[in-house]
Amino acid sequence: MESWMRAKDIKRLAIMGGTFDPVHYGHLVAAEGARHEFQLDRVIFIPSGRPPHKTSEQITDPVHRLAMVKNAVQSNAHFETSALETESDGVSYTIDTVRKVQELQPSADIYFITGADAVLQILTWKNVEEILSTCTFIAATRPGYALESLEHRLSSLSREYINNIYTMEVPALAISSTDIRNRVFNGKPIKYLLPERVEKFISNSKLYCRED
Ligand code: NAP
């Protein structure tokens, strides 16, 4: 059992949801910023198994993505990882994760941190109203992100739900997983974009590089 599952002292728990292919400093800075701003006791990084909008060919093996996240969160006592999504087969829906977390920590307030671009699509997610009535959302944005498009896109939601979605600008999110994958593929450095342990893991496991 993962340690957050049996903890008795969690009042505010955040799920850090993402593909994390790979995890980088932008994610870590976003999680730490949210922890501080929302006084979160624990931030649980839950890499998605297979998100509904991606095929398995498009993303790295969940075992590798979870291992990288484990390496990345080691130095923060408030951060943990969970295999809730990566260990289950098939498509991972956020509603199933949220229900599971609520069942394990029934008295905690639940937050869900993810990228604003992902939140933009939330109306297409399974059981969106249940998700929004269970969790407070924290949408992390890159600098210069047009927040109006988020408000506009979500305008069909009731005010009660919109008020439950917070945005947080994170300059470090200028770093992106796509850019890191492209850099490795093109033989460019990724040092200082992610923790050294993750960099080593990528190199040792030969992730993202050209086959030759
Ligand atoms: P994505 O489309 O790969 O990412 C969208 C954008 O958000 C990217 O710019 C990404 O940057 C950024 N991002 C992703 N996670 C982040 C995080 N935790 N903090 C800051 N920025 C983040 O989105 P995704 O990663 O597949 O999905 C995000 C979450 O939404 C996951 O937990 C997923 O399971 C959930 N989701 C659920 C459903 C559903 O239940 N139907 C559907 C879609 C997504 P990087 O590429 O640099 O990370």
Side-chain angles (χ1 to χ4, degrees):
M1 195 185 257
E2 295 164 3
S3 77
W4 66 272
M5 293 179 177
R6 52 174 189 273
K8 302 251 187 293
D9 57 344
I10 302 181
K11 295 193 184 70
R12 293 173 166 218
L13 176 154
I15 297 167
M16 179 72 172
T19 309
F20 303 123
D21 192 13
V23 64
H24 53 67
Y25 277 132
H27 300 128
L28 295 168
V29 171
E32 181 63 6
R35 185 190 72 75
H36 175 79
E37 203 170 318
F38 293 86
Q39 296 167 18
L40 305 169
D41 299 303
R42 219 65 70 88
V43 180
I44 319 294
F45 285 64
I46 310 187
S48 40
R50 184 157 70 75
H53 57 308
K54 292 182 186 174
T55 64
S56 48
E57 294 81 52
Q58 284 175 303
I59 51 176
T60 303
D61 189 317
V63 174
H64 287 325
R65 290 184 288 111
L66 180 66
M68 290 191 276
V69 171
K70 277 189 178 159
N71 275 298
V73 304
Q74 269 203 347
S75 59
N76 190 322
H78 299 279
F79 290 178
E80 278 188 54
T81 56
S82 173
L84 269 185
E85 293 193 10
T86 44
E87 74 186 1
S88 63
D89 293 333
V91 172
S92 40
Y93 290 102
T94 295
I95 184 62
D96 300 327
T97 308
V98 165
R99 282 179 184 157
K100 190 88 196 170
V101 169
Q102 196 181 34
E103 191 185 306
L104 290 161
Q105 286 289 343
S107 57
D109 292 336
I110 301 174
Y111 292 71
F112 193 95
I113 311 166
T114 195
D117 282 343
V119 177
L120 266 182
Q121 305 296 328
I122 202 169
L123 294 177
T124 65
W125 295 13
K126 191 176 159 194
N127 297 48
V128 62
E129 299 209 341
E130 185 184 333
I131 296 175
L132 284 170
S133 57
T134 311
C135 305
T136 299
F137 260 73
I138 304 171
T141 66
R142 298 197 150 93
Y145 188 91
L147 284 173
E148 308 81 59
S149 68
L150 189 74
E151 296 242 323
H152 178 71
R153 191 80 74 91
L154 302 183
S155 58
S156 65
L157 282 173
S158 79
R159 197 28 65 191
E160 175 202 354
Y161 295 136
I162 291 183
N163 289 346
N164 215 17
I165 302 175
Y166 294 83
T167 53
M168 190 178 68
E169 193 175 275
V170 182
L173 279 175
I175 303 171
S176 88
S177 301
T178 307
D179 178 53
I180 292 174
R181 293 195 302 275
N182 288 337
R183 285 178 152 274
V184 176
F185 189 78
N186 292 310
K188 292 184 176 172
I190 56 170
K191 201 174 184 62
Y192 309 125
L193 298 176
L194 34 62
E196 209 171 318
R197 296 174 69 104
V198 180
E199 187 190 345
K200 284 210 175 96
F201 186 94
I202 290 172
S203 162
N204 291 341
S205 310
K206 299 190 171 37
L207 300 182
Y208 315 126
C209 55
R210 285 174 200 268
E211 303 244 315
D212 54 5

